[in-house]
Amino acid sequence: MTKSRLILFSLVISVAALFISGCDDSSEERSREVNQDKSIKKYDLVWFDYVNDSESDSAPEMKVSYMENGKQKTKTFKKYVENVEDIEQPYMKIRDDKAFIYRPPYMKYDQEPLEGVVKDKVEQKSSDGK
């Protein structure tokens, strides 16, 4: 490979790496901006779930349930950002048609072990009758 081709190849790789790394920052930046904006209302998050469509290759929609004025509401969002933070109570914010979910990690490695007693156990039967 000639020296000029090697330089051109290096330049193309560098530009591609810069472009790819810049894509993730914009989502994080918008999420940080929304979290700091006190004018955007904060809602207690009840639950959220991804609505997968096996026919589509696009990102799944997110169905979210949240509390608004003491009532539970459910809404589906095509645009969303999920933020994992070290918080106790999950919440969400909505800006335009985009949901920003702020939730604690599913598992913390430094959490205390759970202890308890099983009082009642019901065995589930499978749907195929076996």
Side-chain angles (χ1 to χ4, degrees):
M1 197 180 255
T2 65
K3 187 175 181 180
S4 62
R5 284 187 179 185
L6 185 59
I7 291 171
L8 180 62
F9 180 72
S10 298
L11 183 62
V12 168
I13 294 297
S14 298
V15 169
L18 183 64
F19 178 74
I20 291 170
S21 66
C23 291
D24 293 337
D25 292 341
S26 62
S27 176
E28 274 183 31
E29 190 175 305
R30 282 192 302 267
S31 186
R32 197 175 313 113
E33 174 188 314
V34 167
N35 197 21
Q36 293 173 350
D37 188 349
K38 301 300 179 197
S39 67
I40 299 175
K41 191 167 180 189
K42 181 176 170 180
Y43 303 97
D44 288 336
L45 184 65
V46 178
W47 57 264
F48 69 94
D49 196 10
Y50 299 101
V51 183
N52 287 324
D53 179 7
S54 61
E55 301 294 320
S56 174
D57 290 336
S58 64
E61 294 180 344
M62 180 182 280
K63 192 169 188 177
V64 181
S65 183
Y66 58 96
M67 298 301 290
E68 183 177 26
N69 301 326
K71 295 182 180 178
Q72 186 173 338
K73 294 201 171 193
T74 304
K75 188 173 178 180
T76 302
F77 294 92
K78 291 183 180 184
K79 298 177 184 177
Y80 54 86
V81 176
E82 184 179 347
N83 301 284
V84 178
E85 297 181 353
D86 192 18
I87 56 176
E88 292 296 319
Q89 181 66 35
Y91 65 94
M92 73 172 289
K93 291 187 173 189
I94 301 171
R95 181 169 73 177
D96 301 325
D97 62 341
K98 191 169 189 175
F100 294 85
I101 306 292
Y102 301 90
R103 66 164 182 85
Y106 292 129
M107 184 172 135
K108 293 182 181 179
Y109 292 104
D110 62 347
Q111 70 188 37
E112 297 294 320
L114 296 174
E115 293 184 18
V117 177
V118 176
K119 294 182 179 179
D120 187 21
K121 182 178 175 181
V122 177
E123 188 173 326
Q124 296 286 336
K125 295 185 180 185
S126 68
S127 60
D128 60 3
K130 293 183 181 177

